[in-house]
Every structure is written in structure tokens, then in C-alpha cells.
Amino acid sequence: MTSNIIKALQQQLKTSAGSSSVHPITKDCYLEMYGYLRVKEHSETLAEHGTIGDIMELFTDTARTVCHRHGITTNEAIIRTVDSQVDGFVKLFRSTLQTRAQASREAGLALLKLDDYQTAPFAGGGRMRSNSELSSARNGAQRQSLIVDNTAVESKLISNWLKDAFNVPDSEHRQLVAELKNEVNQETATYDLRMCLLVLKKDQSFAGKPENFRTPHAYSIWKEREITSLEQLIHTYAMRQSYMSGEQIGAGRLKLEASAIESMGDEEIAAAFEYIPAKAAQHYRMLVYKAITHDIVDRIDTANPATPLQLSNRAKDLLKQLSIAWRISASYRETCYLDIINDYYEQD
């Protein structure tokens, strides 16, 4: 993103909201987004750290808020309305980028990235999915149906996939979900990210330490990239919650002084995190194993031999989100998946 792109989007939102033919809900969505981008701190943070995905998720969250303001409260109606609003916003954003693509390399790259995004059903939250993931999530029947029943909505939730994969009874599942909804929020999530950044700067990150790399130079390169990635994540969380700065989120919750990190062991550092497990890589591998078992191995006998089996979109979404939150490297994710597949082949 650049400041010029953000300013152009801001102006286009204002112009479109002023059209006499625009729907009231669309008008409110555009004005809400316009008002957000007008705040200097927000626009500067987006220009410096934001991505196309951040803007799309920000608008999706805005559309959800506007839905409630207009009295739209049922899951089915929210899904349809948010879907429709984001579709319209993608067209508006694309038009904005197209007018700048010839003169701006950044706008051209952003336009290519935008083509990878389409709206995803709102049931799983204000997320966006790429076209490749969307192909199975939106089948022909869903396209033709204007009403999605509760069963169809629930079937798309990652939490329901976890219930099935781990064979959790319905009553216990409902209780766990209710408890997590009360406990998990942006502050606790960002607290863990801030802890990740703190221990990384002290060379004590569970995601990688100097001794895990062949040379100090290789570690230095990885460390700088990881610091940048974590800082961008903290800023992203800050933008979604309309905070002025990511530094304000969870700052009062830190349990450790920076100077004390170096003298602490792995178990002590791990205990300071709220939702990142002590052995994140092992937990991630266990989830990959569960996903392969549930989505592929258990379906081999009943599947069409001509259709390759792969992980479900819900499993992919879960593993992607956890790999970001738990700082699991891309190389480990790929190796982990292939190793487990290979283990199954060797067993047969």
C-alpha cells in the first residue's frame, strides 16, 4: 500500500457514497470506511504496513457493523448482505487501482493481488479467501440459493470441524466454544504477539534461536524478517480495533521485564504466553495429523478414485491462522504435511 492509493480509495468512497442511486446500507458502509481512512494515524498505518487483505477484512468488519445498525441480525441475512457489500467494494477498489495502475507500480501490484480475492461466507468471521479456496466453498447450489439454513452456516465453522476431527460431544463442544468466546479477544491475542516480539529481540524465540541456524548471518536475516512480520501483525490487530497504535494493546499485561528474558529457560518463557503452546511445532504437527486423518484418510474408501483428496477449506484456514499466530515457518509446514502423508504410505 501507499499513501496515494489510500487517498484515492478515500476519495472514491466519498464520491460513491454521495451518489443518489446508492443503497442506504452501501452508503453507510462507504461513509464508515471513509471516516476511518480520514484519521491520519489509520491511513498512515495502512499505507506503511497494510495489505490488500487488511483493507478487505477492514471493510468486511465495517459491513458487519452496519448490518447490525440497520437491524440485520440473523446469520442468513448478515451473510447475504456482507457478501453483497464486499462484492461491490471489490469493484470500487478495483476501479480505483485501475486508474492509477499505469502511473504507479504499487497500484499495479495491488490490482493483481486484489484479483486473488473474492468474498467468503461471513459465518466464519470477517475473513477473505482466495479464489482457489473459494471454488469448493461456493458450489453451484449455494450460488443459486438466497437463504442459507443454520445447518449450512454451522458446517462452515472451523470450531465445528474441530469438534468432528476430535470427536468432541455436542454438549462439551458448546460449553468450550462459549468459554472461549468470553476469554479470547484482540487484547489477549496481541499480548502473545508482543511477547513473541519481546523474546525474539532477546534471541530467545521458540520459533528460532542463533544455534538453530548455520551461520550468524543467516540468523540475522531471519530475525529481521520475523521482527518486521510481527510488527505488521500487531499493527493489523490495532487497525481492526481502531487503536491508535499497536503499542497500546496489551502493554499493561506483559508479565516479564525485557531484562529478565535472557536469564529464563524455555519453560519459563513458554509459561508467559496465553494461547501459544509451549511446544508450538509439536502441537501444529498434531493438528496436521488430525486434519489429514479426518479429511483424507478416513474418506479414502468412499471417495471417487478420479478425484484427488485434499484438506478441507476449514482445515486449511485453521492451519494457516495457527501458523501465523504460533510463528510456524513455511518450510516446516510443508515438510510436516509431506512427512505425515509419507508415514501413511509406509504404513500401508
Side-chain angles (χ1 to χ4, degrees), residues 203 210 213 215-227:
D203 298 325
F213 292 79
T215 65
H217 180 64
Y219 172 73
S220 177
I221 293 175
W222 173 84
K223 180 180 177 180
E224 289 302 315
R225 291 177 178 174
E226 184 72 357
I227 288 175

Side-chain angles (χ1 to χ4, degrees), residues 124-173:
R127 295 179 292 103
M128 304 300 300
R129 291 179 184 168
S130 64
N131 286 331
S132 61
E133 292 172 306
L134 204 61
S135 59
S136 60
R138 281 185 166 180
N139 51 45
Q142 187 181 24
R143 279 289 192 182
Q144 297 171 6
S145 175
L146 293 178
I147 298 178
V148 182
D149 60 29
N150 288 331
T151 301
V153 171
E154 291 181 357
S155 69
K156 293 178 172 58
L157 297 177
I158 292 177
S159 60
N160 280 40
W161 179 89
L162 284 166
K163 177 177 73 72
D164 295 338
F166 284 86
N167 295 316
V168 179
D170 289 345
S171 59
E172 184 178 345
H173 170 70

Side-chain angles (χ1 to χ4, degrees), residues 29 40 49 69 82 104 164 234 241 253 257 277 338:
C29 287
K40 183 180 179 181
H49 300 283
R69 189 183 303 158
V82 171
S104 170
D164 295 338
I234 292 172
Q241 292 299 307
R253 298 172 55 86
E257 293 292 337
L338 294 175

Side-chain angles (χ1 to χ4, degrees), residues 27 40 74 112 192 203 205 219 224 239 272 298 310 331:
K27 180 178 181 178
K40 183 180 179 181
T74 64
L112 292 174
D192 271 4
D203 298 325
S205 173
Y219 172 73
E224 289 302 315
M239 288 187 295
D298 289 350
Q310 58 180 337
S331 58

Side-chain angles (χ1 to χ4, degrees), residues 37-198:
L37 295 177
R38 282 193 65 190
V39 178
K40 183 180 179 181
E41 289 80 2
H42 295 168
S43 59
E44 287 181 349
T45 301
L46 271 172
E48 184 176 356
H49 300 283
T51 65
I52 290 292
D54 293 330
I55 291 179
M56 298 308 301
E57 291 193 20
L58 181 61
F59 183 83
T60 305
D61 290 341
T62 299
R64 175 181 59 180
T65 301
V66 171
C67 281
H68 288 286
R69 189 183 303 158
H70 281 258
I72 302 173
T73 57
T74 64
N75 286 335
E76 297 88 344
I78 291 176
I79 290 171
R80 295 197 303 271
T81 305
V82 171
D83 241 6
S84 174
Q85 293 304 315
V86 177
D87 277 336
F89 178 72
V90 167
K91 294 176 183 177
L92 179 146
F93 198 9
R94 180 177 290 113
S95 175
T96 302
L97 293 172
Q98 285 173 340
T99 61
R100 308 188 65 84
Q102 291 185 347
S104 170
R105 176 177 177 273
E106 290 79 7
L109 293 174
L111 184 61
L112 292 174
K113 187 64 177 177
L114 183 64
D115 288 338
D116 288 337
Y117 283 84
Q118 296 289 345
T119 56
F122 176 71
R127 295 179 292 103
M128 304 300 300
R129 291 179 184 168
S130 64
N131 286 331
S132 61
E133 292 172 306
L134 204 61
S135 59
S136 60
R138 281 185 166 180
N139 51 45
Q142 187 181 24
R143 279 289 192 182
Q144 297 171 6
S145 175
L146 293 178
I147 298 178
V148 182
D149 60 29
N150 288 331
T151 301
V153 171
E154 291 181 357
S155 69
K156 293 178 172 58
L157 297 177
I158 292 177
S159 60
N160 280 40
W161 179 89
L162 284 166
K163 177 177 73 72
D164 295 338
F166 284 86
N167 295 316
V168 179
D170 289 345
S171 59
E172 184 178 345
H173 170 70
R174 287 192 294 269
Q175 182 180 351
L176 287 171
V177 170
E179 291 176 357
L180 287 173
K181 284 183 177 179
N182 290 329
E183 295 177 6
V184 180
N185 53 48
Q186 292 288 346
E187 183 180 1
T188 53
T190 309
Y191 164 77
D192 271 4
L193 292 177
R194 285 173 53 78
M195 279 298 306
C196 282
L197 187 59
L198 183 61

